[in-house]
Amino acid sequence: GFFQSYAVEVDIKDASNATCLYADWMMRFLITYESNNGDYKTTTLNLSSSVTHNGSVCGNDTQAALVAVQFGEGHSWSFNITKTNETYQGDFITLTYNTNDTAVFPDAKRKGPVTVVVRDPSHPVQLNTVFVCHSFYSFEAENITQIFWNVTLQAFVQNGTVSKKETRCPADTPTSAPTVPPTTANVTTAASTTLSPAPTTAPKPVENPETGNYSLKSGNQTCFLATVGLQLNISQDKPLLININPKTTVADGACGNTTATLKLNDGNSTLIGF
């Protein structure tokens, strides 16, 4: 489920007090950790209402820009961005979570900060262009899923003003309808005065999802089995049905003594956890 999360805005100034890096986004983290009794549990780490951005830097032609935020009980997240002659691109994302935070990790076996570094999977963005992504997108690394949405980001801002030219993420870009080649049925000739309306066709119903077989192993032993067909029904501006395709879905997770976690991730970054 989705719990309370806060947006964070970072506006970094250069020596002349002009904006050189701007970011505004929301994020949360799903973290699987080992409890004191050997079980593996998945918890949600959200941004708190109080976020600092100590250590953030503008960057230049030879130094990477850095967005660094600190939140909650000893948690931090940073994102460094490199520049070429024409583009800027995320390089590494670093998350440090503190299992001493008992509100998030009430029974963690391992105590103290844990740091995970992953390479940013996003594509380069043209300089003097702001990257915008309102849609949810996520990626996994080790035992962590990082989820982002409502992202606005521009590094190496020119003249202190965030650009009005946007680069949208693929999830925000609607797919265009295929072009229909002209035929004798839909071409208007000079002699025609009226056109017969095109026949209407009912929308194609979404088929039942294909059944998939998913399993986890603990060592050489299978510890989790699931045979299930999955369909997501998303209610936004209009209902959207998505079938989970077992041919492109990868099962991950962990088994403990009394609990097990199964995570399914398909090629469209749809994540379902059991």
Side-chain angles (χ1 to χ4, degrees), residues 228-247:
V228 60
L230 294 169
Q231 182 181 88
L232 303 183
N233 187 336
I234 303 172
S235 298
Q236 295 179 324
D237 296 334
K238 58 182 180 179
L240 174 64
L241 296 179
I242 301 175
N243 286 341
I244 302 302
N245 183 359
K247 294 185 177 64

Side-chain angles (χ1 to χ4, degrees), residues 56-197:
S56 298
V57 295
C58 294
N60 51 43
D61 291 341
T62 59
Q63 180 186 10
L66 179 69
V67 179
V69 296
Q70 304 82 39
F71 59 98
E73 300 295 326
H75 313 295
S76 63
W77 181 89
S78 65
F79 175 51
N80 72 318
I81 309 163
T82 54
K83 176 184 177 183
T84 66
N85 292 332
E86 299 179 351
T87 64
Y88 62 92
Q89 181 177 12
D91 194 5
F92 291 100
I93 295 175
T94 303
L95 170 67
T96 297
Y97 60 93
N98 186 3
T99 57
N100 287 325
D101 184 353
T102 56
V104 181
F105 307 95
D107 54 353
K109 182 177 181 179
R110 177 180 178 180
K111 298 296 184 182
V114 180
T115 298
V116 176
V117 181
V118 298
R119 183 172 290 277
D120 176 42
S122 60
H123 299 291
V125 179
Q126 289 293 318
L127 288 173
N128 201 31
T129 301
V130 60
F131 173 77
V132 177
C133 190
H134 295 303
S135 303
F136 288 89
Y137 65 96
S138 65
F139 57 88
E140 286 188 80
E142 298 184 21
N143 60 327
I144 299 172
T145 300
Q146 304 193 37
I147 306 171
F148 305 89
W149 70 102
N150 287 347
V151 177
T152 301
L153 168 70
Q154 184 179 352
F156 308 101
V157 176
Q158 301 177 13
N159 302 320
T161 303
V162 176
S163 176
K164 294 184 179 180
K165 183 179 179 181
E166 296 182 352
T167 294
R168 288 281 186 153
C169 63
D172 276 7
T173 305
T175 56
S176 58
T179 302
V180 179
T183 66
T184 56
N186 62 19
V187 172
T188 305
T189 65
S192 63
T193 56
T194 59
L195 287 176
S196 300

